[in-house]
Coordinates of all heavy atoms in Angstrom, one line a residue:
E22 N 102.7 108.9 110.2 CA 103.5 108.3 111.2 C 104.5 107.3 110.7 O 104.2 106.1 110.5 CB 102.6 107.6 112.3 CG 103.3 107.1 113.5 CD 102.4 106.6 114.5 OE1 101.7 107.4 115.2 OE2 102.3 105.4 114.6
P23 N 105.7 107.7 110.4 CA 106.8 106.8 110.0 C 107.3 106.1 111.2 O 107.4 106.7 112.3 CB 107.9 107.7 109.4 CG 107.7 109.0 110.0 CD 106.2 109.1 110.3
M24 N 107.6 104.8 111.1 CA 107.9 104.0 112.3 C 108.9 102.9 111.9 O 108.9 102.3 110.8 CB 106.6 103.4 112.9 CG 106.8 102.6 114.2 SD 105.2 102.3 115.0 CE 104.9 103.9 115.7
L25 N 109.8 102.5 112.9 CA 110.7 101.4 112.8 C 110.2 100.3 113.7 O 109.8 100.6 114.9 CB 112.1 101.8 113.2 CG 112.7 102.9 112.4 CD1 114.1 103.2 112.9 CD2 112.8 102.6 110.9
K26 N 110.2 99.1 113.2 CA 109.6 98.0 114.0 C 110.6 96.8 114.1 O 111.2 96.4 113.1 CB 108.3 97.5 113.4 CG 107.6 96.3 114.2 CD 106.4 95.9 113.5 CE 105.3 97.0 113.5 NZ 104.0 96.5 112.9
F27 N 110.7 96.2 115.3 CA 111.6 95.1 115.5 C 110.6 93.9 116.0 O 109.8 94.1 116.9 CB 112.6 95.3 116.6 CG 113.6 96.4 116.3 CD1 113.3 97.7 116.6 CD2 114.7 96.2 115.6 CE1 114.2 98.8 116.3 CE2 115.6 97.2 115.2 CZ 115.3 98.5 115.6
S28 N 110.7 92.8 115.3 CA 109.8 91.7 115.5 C 110.6 90.4 115.9 O 111.7 90.2 115.3 CB 109.0 91.4 114.3 OG 108.1 90.3 114.5
Y29 N 110.1 89.7 116.9 CA 110.7 88.4 117.3 C 109.6 87.3 117.2 O 108.6 87.4 117.8 CB 111.3 88.5 118.7 CG 111.9 87.2 119.2 CD1 113.1 86.8 118.7 CD2 111.2 86.5 120.1 CE1 113.7 85.6 119.2 CE2 111.7 85.3 120.6 CZ 113.0 84.8 120.1 OH 113.5 83.7 120.6
N30 N 109.9 86.2 116.5 CA 109.0 85.1 116.4 C 109.0 84.3 117.7 O 110.0 83.6 118.0 CB 109.3 84.2 115.2 CG 108.4 83.1 115.1 OD1 108.8 81.9 115.1 ND2 107.1 83.4 114.8
L31 N 107.9 84.3 118.5 CA 107.8 83.6 119.7 C 107.6 82.1 119.5 O 108.4 81.2 120.0 CB 106.7 84.1 120.6 CG 106.9 85.5 121.1 CD1 105.6 86.0 121.8 CD2 108.0 85.6 122.1
I32 N 106.6 81.8 118.7 CA 106.2 80.4 118.4 C 105.3 80.3 117.3 O 104.4 81.2 117.2 CB 105.6 79.7 119.7 CG1 105.4 78.2 119.4 CG2 104.3 80.4 120.1 CD1 104.9 77.4 120.6
D33 N 105.5 79.4 116.3 CA 104.7 79.3 115.2 C 104.5 80.6 114.5 O 105.4 81.3 114.1 CB 103.4 78.6 115.5 CG 103.6 77.2 116.0 OD1 104.5 76.5 115.6 OD2 102.8 76.7 116.9
D34 N 103.2 81.1 114.5 CA 102.9 82.4 113.8 C 102.6 83.5 114.7 O 102.1 84.6 114.3 CB 101.6 82.2 112.9 CG 101.8 81.1 111.8 OD1 102.9 81.2 111.1 OD2 101.0 80.2 111.7
F35 N 103.0 83.4 116.0 CA 103.0 84.5 117.0 C 104.3 85.2 117.0 O 105.4 84.6 117.0 CB 102.7 83.9 118.4 CG 101.2 83.7 118.6 CD1 100.7 82.4 118.6 CD2 100.4 84.8 118.9 CE1 99.4 82.2 118.8 CE2 99.0 84.5 119.2 CZ 98.5 83.2 119.1
N36 N 104.2 86.6 117.0 CA 105.4 87.4 117.1 C 105.2 88.5 118.2 O 104.1 89.0 118.4 CB 105.6 88.1 115.7 CG 106.0 87.2 114.7 OD1 107.1 86.7 114.6 ND2 105.0 86.8 113.8
L37 N 106.3 88.8 118.8 CA 106.4 89.9 119.7 C 107.1 91.0 119.0 O 108.1 90.8 118.3 CB 107.2 89.5 121.0 CG 107.4 90.6 122.0 CD1 106.1 91.0 122.7 CD2 108.5 90.1 123.1
Q38 N 106.6 92.3 119.2 CA 107.1 93.4 118.4 C 107.2 94.7 119.2 O 106.4 94.9 120.1 CB 106.3 93.6 117.1 CG 104.8 93.8 117.4 CD 104.0 93.7 116.2 OE1 104.3 92.9 115.2 NE2 102.8 94.3 116.1
F39 N 108.3 95.4 118.9 CA 108.5 96.7 119.5 C 108.7 97.7 118.4 O 109.4 97.5 117.4 CB 109.8 96.7 120.4 CG 110.1 98.1 120.9 CD1 109.4 98.7 121.9 CD2 111.2 98.8 120.3 CE1 109.7 100.0 122.3 CE2 111.5 100.1 120.7 CZ 110.8 100.7 121.7
S40 N 108.0 98.9 118.5 CA 108.0 99.9 117.5 C 108.3 101.2 118.0 O 107.9 101.5 119.2 CB 106.6 99.9 116.7 OG 106.2 98.7 116.3
S41 N 109.0 102.1 117.2 CA 109.3 103.4 117.6 C 109.1 104.3 116.4 O 109.5 104.0 115.3 CB 110.7 103.5 118.2 OG 111.0 104.9 118.5
G42 N 108.4 105.4 116.6 CA 108.1 106.3 115.5 C 107.7 107.7 115.9 O 107.8 108.0 117.1
Y43 N 107.3 108.5 115.0 CA 107.0 109.9 115.3 C 105.7 110.2 114.5 O 105.6 110.0 113.3 CB 108.0 110.9 114.9 CG 107.9 112.2 115.5 CD1 108.4 112.5 116.8 CD2 107.1 113.3 114.9 CE1 108.3 113.8 117.4 CE2 106.9 114.5 115.5 CZ 107.5 114.7 116.7 OH 107.3 116.0 117.3
N44 N 104.7 110.7 115.3 CA 103.4 111.1 114.7 C 103.4 112.6 114.4 O 103.7 113.4 115.2 CB 102.3 110.7 115.7 CG 100.9 111.0 115.2 OD1 100.5 112.1 115.0 ND2 100.1 109.9 115.0
I45 N 103.0 112.9 113.2 CA 102.9 114.3 112.7 C 101.5 114.6 112.3 O 100.9 113.9 111.5 CB 103.8 114.5 111.5 CG1 105.2 114.1 111.8 CG2 103.8 116.0 111.1 CD1 106.1 114.0 110.6
N46 N 100.9 115.6 113.0 CA 99.5 116.0 112.8 C 99.4 117.2 111.9 O 100.2 118.1 112.0 CB 98.8 116.3 114.1 CG 98.1 115.1 114.7 OD1 97.1 115.2 115.4 ND2 98.6 113.9 114.4
F47 N 98.4 117.2 111.1 CA 98.1 118.4 110.2 C 96.6 118.8 110.5 O 95.8 118.0 110.7 CB 98.3 118.1 108.7 CG 99.6 117.6 108.4 CD1 99.9 116.2 108.3 CD2 100.7 118.5 108.1 CE1 101.1 115.7 108.0 CE2 101.9 118.0 107.8 CZ 102.2 116.6 107.7
K48 N 96.4 120.1 110.3 CA 95.1 120.7 110.5 C 94.5 120.4 111.9 O 95.2 120.5 112.9 CB 94.1 120.2 109.4 CG 94.6 120.6 108.0 CD 93.6 120.2 106.9 CE 94.1 120.6 105.5 NZ 93.2 120.3 104.5
G49 N 93.3 120.0 112.0 CA 92.7 119.7 113.3 C 92.2 120.9 114.1 O 92.2 120.9 115.3
K50 N 91.7 122.0 113.4 CA 91.2 123.1 114.1 C 89.9 122.7 114.8 O 89.0 122.1 114.2 CB 90.9 124.3 113.2 CG 92.2 125.2 113.0 CD 91.8 126.6 112.6 CE 93.1 127.5 112.7 NZ 92.7 128.9 112.5
M51 N 89.7 123.1 116.0 CA 88.6 122.7 116.8 C 87.4 123.6 116.6 O 87.5 124.8 116.3 CB 88.9 122.7 118.3 CG 90.1 121.9 118.6 SD 90.3 121.4 120.3 CE 89.3 119.9 120.3
K52 N 86.2 123.0 116.6 CA 84.9 123.8 116.4 C 84.0 123.6 117.6 O 84.0 122.6 118.3 CB 84.2 123.2 115.2 CG 85.0 123.4 113.9 CD 84.2 122.8 112.7 CE 84.9 122.9 111.4 NZ 84.2 122.3 110.2
V53 N 83.2 124.7 117.8 CA 82.2 124.7 118.8 C 80.9 125.0 118.1 O 80.7 126.1 117.5 CB 82.4 125.7 119.9 CG1 81.3 125.7 120.9 CG2 83.7 125.5 120.6
D54 N 79.9 124.0 118.1 CA 78.7 124.2 117.4 C 78.9 124.6 116.0 O 78.2 125.4 115.4 CB 77.8 125.3 118.1 CG 77.4 124.9 119.5 OD1 77.3 123.7 119.8 OD2 77.3 125.8 120.4
G55 N 79.9 124.0 115.3 CA 80.1 124.2 113.9 C 81.0 125.4 113.6 O 81.4 125.6 112.5
E56 N 81.3 126.2 114.6 CA 82.1 127.4 114.4 C 83.5 127.2 114.8 O 83.9 126.7 115.8 CB 81.6 128.6 115.3 CG 80.1 129.0 115.0 CD 80.1 129.7 113.6 OE1 81.0 130.3 113.2 OE2 79.0 129.5 112.9
K57 N 84.5 127.5 113.8 CA 85.9 127.3 114.1 C 86.4 128.2 115.2 O 86.0 129.3 115.3 CB 86.7 127.5 112.8 CG 86.6 126.4 111.8 CD 87.5 126.6 110.6 CE 87.5 125.4 109.6 NZ 88.4 125.6 108.5
T58 N 87.4 127.6 115.9 CA 88.1 128.4 116.9 C 89.6 128.5 116.4 O 89.9 128.0 115.4 CB 88.1 127.7 118.3 OG1 88.9 126.5 118.2 CG2 86.7 127.3 118.7
D59 N 90.4 129.2 117.2 CA 91.8 129.3 116.9 C 92.6 128.1 117.5 O 93.9 128.1 117.3 CB 92.4 130.6 117.4 CG 91.8 131.8 116.7 OD1 91.5 131.7 115.5 OD2 91.6 132.9 117.3
Y60 N 92.0 127.2 118.1 CA 92.7 126.1 118.8 C 92.8 124.9 118.0 O 91.8 124.5 117.3 CB 92.0 125.8 120.2 CG 92.0 127.0 121.1 CD1 90.9 127.7 121.3 CD2 93.2 127.3 121.8 CE1 90.9 128.8 122.2 CE2 93.2 128.4 122.7 CZ 92.0 129.1 122.9 OH 92.1 130.2 123.8
V61 N 93.9 124.2 118.0 CA 94.2 123.0 117.2 C 94.5 121.8 118.2 O 95.2 122.0 119.1 CB 95.4 123.2 116.3 CG1 95.7 121.9 115.5 CG2 95.1 124.3 115.3
S62 N 93.9 120.7 117.9 CA 94.2 119.5 118.6 C 95.3 118.7 117.9 O 95.1 118.0 117.0 CB 92.9 118.6 118.7 OG 92.4 118.3 117.4
N63 N 96.5 119.1 118.4 CA 97.7 118.5 117.8 C 98.3 117.4 118.6 O 99.0 117.6 119.6 CB 98.7 119.7 117.6 CG 100.0 119.3 116.9 OD1 100.1 118.1 116.5 ND2 100.9 120.2 116.6
W64 N 98.1 116.2 118.1 CA 98.6 115.0 118.8 C 100.1 114.6 118.4 O 100.5 113.5 118.8 CB 97.7 113.8 118.5 CG 96.3 113.9 119.0 CD1 95.2 114.4 118.3 CD2 95.8 113.6 120.3 NE1 94.1 114.3 119.1 CE2 94.4 113.8 120.3 CE3 96.4 113.1 121.5 CZ2 93.7 113.6 121.5 CZ3 95.6 112.9 122.6 CH2 94.3 113.1 122.6
S65 N 100.7 115.5 117.7 CA 102.1 115.2 117.3 C 103.0 114.8 118.4 O 102.9 115.3 119.5 CB 102.7 116.4 116.5 OG 102.0 116.7 115.3
G66 N 104.0 113.9 118.1 CA 104.9 113.5 119.1 C 105.5 112.1 118.9 O 105.0 111.3 118.1
L67 N 106.4 111.8 119.8 CA 107.1 110.4 119.7 C 106.1 109.4 120.1 O 105.2 109.6 121.0 CB 108.3 110.4 120.7 CG 109.1 109.1 120.8 CD1 109.8 108.8 119.5 CD2 110.1 109.2 122.0
R68 N 106.2 108.2 119.5 CA 105.4 107.0 119.8 C 106.3 105.8 120.1 O 107.2 105.5 119.3 CB 104.4 106.7 118.7 CG 103.4 107.8 118.3 CD 102.4 108.0 119.4 NE 101.3 108.9 119.0 CZ 101.4 110.2 119.2 NH1 102.4 110.8 119.8 NH2 100.4 111.0 118.8
L69 N 106.0 105.1 121.1 CA 106.6 103.9 121.5 C 105.6 102.8 121.7 O 104.5 103.0 122.3 CB 107.4 104.0 122.8 CG 108.5 105.1 122.8 CD1 109.1 105.2 124.2 CD2 109.6 104.7 121.8

């Protein structure tokens, strides 16, 4: 997940931050009782 982050110092060591990026999933084939299926749990997508 590569991401760009914008941070603003509120007070002392506290910061408010906004991030935007993209999550890329690999593999993740689902299993039932240890047996592989053809289905993949792919969480890929934009993240805010």
Side-chain angles (χ1 to χ4, degrees):
E22 187 175 283
M24 187 167 279
L25 302 178
K26 179 181 294 184
F27 299 90
S28 177
Y29 176 77
N30 180 243
L31 293 173
I32 184 172
D33 296 330
D34 297 311
F35 276 102
N36 292 283
L37 178 68
Q38 53 198 28
F39 171 76
S40 309
S41 177
Y43 196 89
N44 185 291
I45 305 168
N46 269 207
F47 303 95
K48 299 184 178 181
K50 276 206 169 186
M51 309 197 83
K52 298 180 180 180
V53 179
D54 297 327
E56 296 294 327
K57 282 187 177 181
T58 70
D59 293 328
Y60 297 102
V61 176
S62 54
N63 185 356
W64 295 96
S65 296
L67 180 67
R68 299 290 188 269
L69 302 173

